[in-house]
Amino acid sequence: MKRVPVSVVIPAYNAAAYIVAAIESVLAQTVMPAEIIVVDDGSTDSTAALLEPYQNRIRYIYQENAGVSAARNRAIEAANGDFIAFLDADDVWHPQKLELQMEVFAKIPALGLLGTQGFDPPPVNLPRYDKLPPDPFTFINWRQLSVKNHLFASSVVVRSSILNIAGDFDTNMQGPEDRDLWLRIAEISTVVNLKLPLTGYRIVPGSVSQQPQRCEQGMYRILKKLDDHQAFKGSLLLRRKAQSYILHSCAYLYGAADHQPEALKRAIKSLLTYPFPYRHNEVESLFERPKRLAVILLRMLKLKPLDPNTIVLKQRLAEQAAHEEALLHNDLNHHVHPSA
């Protein structure tokens, strides 16, 4: 089977439920990557045991828990490929993903980063693509990324030479750390999305994307970094739009976690900060922000029931908070009463 000079980077933390499916989706590719690097970020479940049968087909690296950014950086540092492909441990790939992406890289020599569209896993009855469709690309520029992340990490393949210039993932971020890197890449290279659903993106309860405070902090850190570099100089309206979109996103996140008063404040402030409509590729429906505001108000007045997924998420967040509090309590006891 043909091999391509791609290093697949898989960060894994307590990923026992999904890690095998992720690796199998890489091994099922129609072209094989040069290497698969799994960084176990201090898992306490059976992740390591599940990876043992793959020891001759992957490079396994263990590190103390330091977060997904640190895990990806560790893998990038160890990688030897001309291209880096990211895959989160709870996501999967279409069998032709790498084949079609490498075909696009061959067609566009100046291309630095290439993502794809997504599908809902598990992969069932995935189509076979004999060739790229007409008009298969969507070019994504820095201005678009400064407002919204148009890429998700598990879809991305990037040239190693571009990563060497752009730098690592910011380990101080948890949530939007990928968009921070895509922005830096968009400043120096061409960024494109392939209009094919080649990446299965799974929403896992308790993931960083479902922790509104952490995501909000990360998004504002990106905005501060851009401000520090005067990236919006001469584009005040774009800067207001970027801040407005953060507020809009956080209104959704807080609402999904059933923190409706926090969601309401951000929804109102989003409209006040940037009252103009967003572009069609930035929202999923017409008048999305006024609709979200109305839903939040109805929920606060108990006139609209919570979505079942929201109820499950709320329960999972409460369980996670209790678990983290217990870990902190045990850690404090250990330091106050250390064992002999």
Side-chain angles (χ1 to χ4, degrees), residues 176-211:
E177 73 285 333
D178 53 347
R179 182 162 70 100
D180 172 64
L181 180 55
W182 311 156
L183 278 162
R184 284 181 270 136
I185 291 174
E187 287 184 317
I188 59 175
S189 185
T190 303
V191 174
V192 168
N193 239 349
L194 182 56
K195 298 178 188 177
L196 289 175
L198 300 177
T199 306
Y201 177 71
R202 198 188 311 267
I203 299 177
V204 180
S207 65
V208 172
S209 65
Q210 297 189 21
Q211 299 175 40

Side-chain angles (χ1 to χ4, degrees), residues 115-136:
T116 77
Q117 293 180 336
F119 61 84
D120 294 328
V124 178
N125 298 323
L126 295 177
R128 164 79 189 179
Y129 299 104
D130 294 325
K131 60 181 179 179
L132 291 173
D135 186 29

Side-chain angles (χ1 to χ4, degrees), residues 72-86:
R72 287 177 182 147
N73 290 342
R74 180 77 178 274
I76 292 169
E77 183 181 0
N80 297 310
D82 294 335
F83 298 85
I84 304 293
F86 299 105

